Amino acid sequence: MSYALGLYRLQQVDTRIDQANNRLEAIRAVLENNSAMQAARAALEKAEKRLHEAEKLLRSQEAASESQRIKIEQTEASLYGGRVQNPKELQDLQSELASLKRHLAALEDAQLESMLAVESARGEHKTALGQLTQVEGQLISQNASLKSEQDALRNTLENLQAERSATHSTIQPLQLEKYEALRQKRRGLAVVTISDNACDACGAGLTPAQAQAVRISNQLVECPSCGRILFSN
């Protein structure tokens, strides 16, 4: 087997390994970082936050209204209990009672608005939760096929790694070193074929002597333009 043929076979295996790994990475991204799932979760978190804030405000207003009712009851007890006889003090208590009731009415109006806001927030929360559940169901269905493909790709990679090891062992260390360096430099493509006396990677033309050397030489021939190792089928 010529040196170029061994490296070409290694290149074919490595290309398939790269393709499998790229697909596995794409599947992993879908499974772990699905945009629809992220959007649904973000919407639910936003709805939960709004509901929490609305309920908190409502509880605060309920407490304020209750406190105001207690003040009104205390003021009414003082006003109508008979212990206060002074007309000026009675008048002050009446004025205070009227003010307390006006404030209670304002608190109750605000409380009613908060109750409506809570109901609206609960509706939004229910909708967001339903959307998340729907997206999760869709992903479970989609992921079943993706998980199956993922398992198949992992089995393929095991076979390809075994094939790579077998091919790797037939190639001399210095040639492997050159091959790996080119793989790093040329985005994974170190060995390419020629067609019509031209490099299939960059399209650079070869002289008749260079093309003949690729076909018959046991020495590695590089593309004069991109530097890749050339191979002729």
Side-chain angles (χ1 to χ4, degrees):
M1 180 173 65
S2 71
Y3 297 146
L5 176 58
L7 291 175
Y8 179 67
R9 288 178 177 174
L10 182 61
Q11 176 69 77
Q12 288 180 308
V13 174
D14 280 339
T15 297
R16 292 172 63 194
I17 289 174
D18 290 343
Q19 291 170 344
N21 281 325
N22 289 339
R23 180 55 184 162
L24 281 171
E25 178 60 24
I27 291 174
R28 186 199 64 78
V30 170
L31 295 177
E32 296 181 5
N33 302 302
N34 183 271
S35 59
M37 176 67 79
Q38 291 178 341
R41 284 175 177 165
L44 180 59
E45 289 176 1
K46 183 178 180 180
E48 287 176 341
K49 181 178 180 181
R50 182 183 175 191
L51 177 58
H52 174 74
E53 291 175 348
E55 289 177 337
K56 181 179 179 181
L57 177 59
L58 178 58
R59 288 193 298 269
S60 174
Q61 290 173 334
E62 288 173 342
S65 295
E66 182 61 23
S67 176
Q68 193 72 4
R69 291 188 189 96
I70 292 172
K71 290 179 181 179
I72 289 173
E73 290 175 0
Q74 292 172 341
T75 303
E76 287 178 336
S78 297
L79 180 61
Y80 305 119
R83 287 175 298 183
V84 179
Q85 300 296 324
N86 186 292
K88 178 66 170 61
E89 291 182 3
L90 288 172
Q91 185 177 5
D92 290 343
L93 284 173
Q94 288 176 338
S95 297
E96 182 181 353
L97 181 60
S99 176
L100 289 172
K101 288 183 176 180
R102 286 195 299 271
H103 187 50
L104 176 61
L107 288 174
E108 288 176 339
D109 288 342
Q111 185 178 331
L112 178 59
E113 291 181 2
S114 292
M115 291 174 65
L116 295 174
V118 167
E119 288 302 311
S120 176
R122 285 174 178 167
E124 289 185 7
H125 182 268
K126 183 178 179 180
T127 298
L129 183 59
Q131 290 176 339
L132 177 60
T133 301
Q134 181 179 5
V135 170
E136 286 176 339
Q138 292 172 344
L139 285 179
I140 289 172
S141 176
Q142 294 172 3
N143 290 350
S145 60
L146 286 178
K147 291 290 289 184
S148 178
E149 182 184 358
Q150 187 181 57
D151 292 340
L153 283 168
R154 286 170 175 167
N155 289 333
T156 297
L157 274 175
E158 288 183 11
N159 295 331
L160 287 172
Q161 291 293 353
E163 184 178 348
R164 188 182 197 280
S165 296
T167 305
H168 196 278
S169 64
T170 65
I171 304 172
Q172 294 182 1
L174 289 177
Q175 294 170 344
L176 283 173
E177 184 178 342
K178 182 177 184 63
Y179 169 82
E180 296 295 350
L182 278 171
R183 285 253 302 163
Q184 291 289 327
K185 184 178 179 180
R186 296 301 181 185
R187 298 183 180 179
L189 189 58
V191 184
V192 296
T193 55
I194 62 171
S195 299
D196 298 325
N197 290 349
C199 172
D200 284 339
C202 70
L206 306 175
T207 66
Q210 289 171 330
Q212 186 67 7
V214 174
R215 296 186 182 96
I216 66 174
S217 176
N218 283 331
Q219 300 299 316
L220 297 182
V221 180
E222 301 172 11
C223 172
S225 178
C226 68
R228 292 182 173 92
I229 299 168
L230 300 175
F231 174 74
S232 177
N233 289 315

